[in-house]
Amino acid sequence: MTLTLEQQKLAKHLFEAFKDNVPLDQNDYVNVVHDFDTAYEVQDAVMALKNEPTAGYKVSLTSPETQHMFASDAPLYGAQVANRFVKSPYVLDLASYNEPLVEVELLFTAKVDLTPDMSKETLLKNTTVAPALEVPDARFKSWFPKLDKYLVLSDTAVGGAVVSGTPRDGDTLTVDELANVSATLTYDGKQAGQGEGSEVLGNPVASLEWLVAKLAEQDKPFLAGTQASTGTFLLPPRLSAGEWRVDFTGEFGTVVLRVEENK
């Protein structure tokens, strides 16, 4: 597929907005992308301009609620470069982001190459699973929750950063356990949300399964070492300065994100 001149410009502008943190006006890009396949091509062009290997992926629109918000009947994925995967406790400078949100997720890391013929049980056995806070962010002004789904996808599924805690070996877990993991999000000590793994396509492993299959469909391998944050347990609040913390059940522990505003 060959991108049109307007689609090539979109990819270039998305890359520049990522690099310089100067957001775009979504009204300037209405109807530039009309379908998912083209949006993935634009995303690939953005990643090529970053000139860094893809270290992992984030899966978005994994609940009926978020799919409805963006008028989609399927999840989306976005590619991520290595420096966007960081460890808890992490200090984030709000000035380096546009209009970030905060999500509660699980982060899978492949121990071997993952393939679409693997069952959920086999996928879990061949990964580690870590608790995570994701910070989605778009390269557009006033993006949430009204950004066109094809622009969401073109913009690497509004990838920001993924802050992860201590991983557990998938060998020690069952698929059912991950549906039943619950998490409580707090902001400066006050509860800001609560959710369960079952919010993510019924089970976070189902999200990983979808991702591996979707990538294979596009002739992209899911190699050993690749990471994937699989979707939020709860509707994301806006990220603001202070301490964000998420406590997981099921021996997954805690993830801490301190947000500073260094203008």
Side-chain angles (χ1 to χ4, degrees):
M1 184 187 297
T2 304
L3 296 178
T4 67
L5 190 58
E6 287 301 303
Q7 290 161 356
Q8 291 173 39
K9 281 184 186 173
L10 170 60
K12 180 173 178 284
H13 294 166
L14 283 169
F15 168 68
E16 288 169 349
F18 172 84
K19 185 167 56 80
D20 302 331
N21 195 32
V22 178
L24 308 174
D25 185 337
Q26 56 187 289
N27 294 323
D28 293 341
Y29 303 93
V30 174
N31 295 326
V32 171
V33 183
H34 301 272
D35 61 84
F36 288 130
D37 288 344
T38 307
Y40 278 117
E41 293 280 347
V42 173
Q43 182 183 139
D44 287 346
V46 174
M47 290 301 290
L49 289 167
K50 291 180 182 178
N51 198 28
E52 293 181 54
T54 296
Y57 299 90
K58 60 158 290 175
V59 185
S60 293
L61 308 191
T62 51
S63 70
E65 188 172 18
T66 53
Q67 287 183 8
H68 177 73
M69 287 170 79
F70 288 93
S72 179
D73 59 1
L76 315 170
Y77 79 75
Q80 297 264 61
V81 295
N83 67 6
R84 294 293 171 138
F85 293 97
V86 296
K87 295 296 183 188
S88 169
Y90 185 73
V91 179
L92 180 147
D93 180 7
L94 208 51
S96 300
Y97 287 74
N98 172 33
E99 297 172 8
L101 309 177
V102 59
E103 296 181 339
V104 172
E105 312 235 348
L106 291 177
L107 179 71
F108 292 79
T109 304
K111 296 190 286 185
V112 301
D113 297 356
L114 303 183
T115 55
D117 59 334
M118 291 179 172
S119 66
K120 290 182 181 67
E121 288 74 18
T122 304
L123 287 168
L124 181 57
K125 177 182 169 186
N126 285 295
T127 53
T128 62
V129 189
L133 276 177
E134 185 178 308
V135 179
D137 193 26
R139 268 43 70 180
F140 294 95
K141 300 170 190 169
S142 306
W143 69 272
F144 186 79
K146 299 296 184 186
L147 185 60
D148 175 84
K149 63 189 171 190
Y150 302 126
L151 292 179
V152 169
L153 183 49
S154 298
D155 187 18
T156 61
V158 296
V162 181
V163 184
S164 62
T166 305
R168 295 188 60 191
D169 198 304
D171 259 344
T172 67
L173 298 161
T174 67
V175 172
D176 285 347
E177 276 181 82
L178 295 194
N180 294 319
V181 171
S182 64
T184 302
L185 177 68
T186 56
Y187 171 55
D188 284 344
K190 295 178 182 174
Q191 186 169 316
Q194 196 162 28
E196 296 188 344
S198 57
E199 288 294 315
V200 183
L201 296 181
N203 192 309
V205 187
S207 178
L208 177 65
E209 184 179 45
W210 173 87
L211 175 62
V212 171
K214 185 66 180 177
L215 290 168
E217 187 185 298
Q218 298 173 340
D219 296 320
K220 296 173 183 174
F222 198 105
L223 302 175
T226 301
Q227 302 177 82
S229 59
T230 46
T232 184
F233 287 26
L234 48 84
L235 198 62
R238 293 193 181 277
L239 190 74
S240 48
E243 183 175 276
W244 294 86
R245 176 188 178 104
V246 60
D247 294 288
F248 289 80
T249 62
E251 298 178 22
F252 277 101
T254 300
V255 178
V256 177
L257 172 63
R258 285 190 286 278
V259 180
E260 298 177 352
E261 195 157 14
N262 300 316
K263 292 182 179 176

